[in-house]
Amino acid sequence: TLNKYTLKKRHDTTSSALGWTLYCLAKNPKYQKEIREEINGLFEIENREYLIPSDLEKLNLTTRCIKESVIFF
């Protein structure tokens, strides 16, 4: 069963991993620019201004950067 501690723990881990990913991207503007272009390209293809969970499958570089930064985290 999920309790409040478990949910809080997952939230903390997710926010820390996201923070670390953003830090890594801030230190590597080349990848930051490439990810921005990848996401903006998806917005143009899908003709919308927001992402949905299934879009992650289409964002190869973004997904790789998140996975790689979590390894260092």
Side-chain angles (χ1 to χ4, degrees):
T1 63
L2 292 175
N3 58 32
K4 289 181 183 179
Y5 176 76
T6 303
L7 292 175
K8 183 179 185 320
K9 187 72 170 168
R10 288 183 182 167
H11 171 74
D12 290 345
T13 304
T14 302
S15 62
S16 296
L18 180 58
W20 180 250
T21 301
L22 294 174
Y23 172 80
C24 290
L25 286 173
K27 300 294 274 181
N28 295 284
K30 174 188 171 209
Y31 292 110
Q32 185 181 41
K33 181 178 184 239
E34 289 178 18
I35 287 174
R36 185 180 301 117
E37 289 171 354
E38 181 180 56
I39 293 170
N40 286 336
L42 183 64
F43 287 155
E44 291 176 13
I45 291 170
E46 299 292 333
N47 196 26
R48 54 185 149 86
E49 298 178 357
Y50 54 89
L51 295 174
I52 57 175
S54 63
D55 288 337
L56 273 179
E57 297 171 3
K58 302 170 191 167
L59 298 171
N60 296 324
L61 178 62
T62 304
T63 303
R64 288 194 326 255
C65 283
I66 292 169
K67 288 179 179 179
E68 190 70 24
S69 66
V70 170
I71 290 172
F72 294 113
F73 174 69

